[in-house]
């Protein structure tokens, strides 16, 4: 039975996901909420978005232990242990992405946006939930599980750094961090293909195919908001990334997939270089 007395608002659905700690439970709820949202949308209704006050940090399981990236154990990427560590790192990224998309929906619910904005981020959250589950399945096939290894502690930092500004959130999360995923995933797929890890190859190909859309949603709504404010998107993007993202962008870039996602080279290349203050 639903814990909600009436049809929940989208923000109530987001909070339900964000306050669930266990990864499998969190992603199962996320997928169920997305299915209900899209069932209503297919019926021609727009369920209430409502308002949300998401926690600054989402609930997470006790394991994995979160470590400073410099303290993370180094493993050879080609070794079996290295491959498990890579799958574990991707699972961690996907679980963060689930929370990031639901957090975006709830945290910025005070900003009036068209229905398509919510459709896109619910779809992205649903995709990430599937990606997390696929990575857990791969880990379990290898005799491991999400939580067996330590994970990167800095993942939620981008959310905290951009908690006050929807444009900054779109610039840093989908248009920088998720775009980075497009750059690195083909190399990972090649690594697993080399050792005949069929399940991991299939899972990573699904992720790679679906992540292009997430970057595209970021670019679409970033441009929408700049258009509404009558500002030039490119300098606004550069300024927000320099302010809120720690470090420079690192080539090589997947220029083709970035272009598919609506990210032209003059958006990201200038961010590979420091500018004098
Ligand atoms: Fe993903
Ligand atoms: Fe994504």
């Amino acid at each position: 039975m639903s814990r909600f007395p009436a049809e929940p608002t989208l923000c109530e659905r987001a909070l339900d996901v964000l306050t669930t700690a266990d990864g499998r439970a969190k992603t199962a709820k996320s997928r169920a909420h997305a299915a209900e949202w899209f069932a209503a949308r297919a019926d021609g209704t727009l369920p209430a978005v409502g308002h949300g006050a998401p926690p600054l940090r989402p609930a997470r399981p006790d394991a994995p232990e979160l470590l400073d990236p410099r303290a993370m154990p180094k493993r050879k990427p080609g070794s079996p242990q290295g491959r498990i560590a890579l799958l574990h790192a991707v699972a961690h990224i996907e679980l963060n992405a689930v929370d990031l998309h639901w957090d975006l929906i709830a945290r910025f619910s005070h900003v009036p946006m068209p229905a398509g904005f919510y459709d896109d981020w619910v779809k992205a959250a649903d995709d990430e939930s599937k990606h997390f589950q696929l990575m857990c399945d791969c880990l379990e096939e290898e005799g491991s599980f999400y939580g067996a290894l330590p994970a990167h502690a800095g993942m939620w930092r981008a959310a905290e750094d951009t908690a006050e500004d929807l444009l900054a959130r779109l610039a840093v999360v989908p248009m920088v961090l998720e775009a980075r995923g497009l750059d690195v995933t083909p190399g990972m797929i090649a690594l697993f293909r080399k050792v005949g890890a069929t399940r991991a190859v299939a899972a990573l190909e699904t992720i790679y195919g679906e992540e292009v859309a997430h970057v595209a949603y970021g670019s679409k709504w970033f441009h929408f908001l700049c258009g509404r404010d009558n500002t030039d998107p490119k300098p606004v993007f550069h300024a927000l990334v320099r302010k809120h993202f720690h470090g420079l962008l690192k080539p090589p870039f997947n220029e083709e997939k970035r272009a598919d996602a609506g990210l032209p080279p003059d958006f990201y290349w200038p961010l590979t270089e420091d500018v004098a203050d």
Side-chain angles (χ1 to χ4, degrees):
M1 208 177 87
S2 168
R3 56 180 276 203
F4 299 102
E7 191 61 22
T9 66
L10 187 59
C11 284
E12 284 170 331
R13 295 185 188 280
L15 258 63
D16 187 36
V17 175
L18 290 163
T19 55
T20 299
D22 176 74
R24 288 276 195 185
K26 184 192 284 285
T27 51
K29 282 187 176 185
S30 172
R31 299 217 69 184
H33 285 308
E36 286 173 28
W37 170 265
F38 285 115
R41 298 288 284 132
D43 278 349
T45 41
L46 177 62
V49 172
H51 289 289
L56 191 57
R57 290 181 180 179
R60 287 296 169 75
D62 292 338
E65 179 193 6
L66 300 180
L67 293 180
D68 185 280
R70 284 162 301 187
M72 290 285 286
K74 298 262 178 290
R75 293 182 177 86
K76 277 209 190 95
S79 67
Q81 288 314 311
R83 286 193 295 276
I84 289 175
L86 202 51
L87 293 170
H88 196 276
V90 177
H92 187 61
I93 289 169
E94 299 296 348
L95 193 63
N96 271 276
V98 173
D99 284 328
L100 279 167
H101 297 323
W102 286 113
D103 182 86
L104 180 142
I105 288 168
R107 189 168 303 281
F108 300 102
S109 54
H110 59 285
V111 181
M113 294 300 281
F117 176 83
Y118 302 103
D119 288 336
D120 285 352
W121 297 113
V122 171
K123 173 74 171 77
D126 189 36
D127 290 347
E128 312 296 12
S129 305
K130 177 173 55 180
H131 300 170
F132 173 77
Q133 293 173 1
L134 285 170
M135 285 298 103
C136 287
D137 295 344
C138 291
L139 283 166
E140 285 159 22
E141 190 185 61
E142 299 290 334
S144 188
F145 59 94
Y146 178 68
L149 300 174
H152 196 309
M155 289 276 167
W156 198 250
R157 184 172 176 184
E160 292 179 19
D161 289 346
T162 60
E164 304 295 329
D165 184 346
L166 175 55
L167 260 185
R169 175 66 64 87
L170 292 170
V172 171
V173 174
M175 296 171 77
V176 168
L177 297 178
E178 294 193 274
R180 174 83 185 140
L182 301 180
D183 303 335
V184 300
T185 308
M188 280 191 226
I189 294 172
L191 198 141
F192 284 95
R193 180 168 287 129
K194 222 165 107 183
V195 295
T198 333
R199 185 190 286 263
V201 169
L204 289 168
E205 279 179 339
T206 298
I207 291 174
Y208 184 51
E210 293 179 347
E211 287 300 331
V212 178
H214 305 173
V215 181
Y217 300 154
S219 178
K220 171 169 71 170
W221 296 110
F222 185 86
H223 282 80
F224 172 89
L225 286 167
C226 288
R228 195 159 73 178
D229 295 345
N230 198 20
T231 54
D232 184 357
K234 191 169 57 176
V236 171
F237 178 73
H238 291 159
L240 287 172
V241 175
R242 289 198 191 278
K243 181 172 172 198
H244 295 283
F245 180 72
H246 305 275
L248 298 170
L249 305 196
K250 288 191 197 80
F253 298 114
N254 187 337
E255 298 208 304
E256 187 184 337
K257 290 290 176 193
R258 283 170 173 259
D260 284 348
L263 263 191
D266 58 351
F267 267 62
Y268 49 87
W269 273 106
L271 297 170
T272 61
E273 285 173 11
D274 246 329
V275 282
D277 287 318

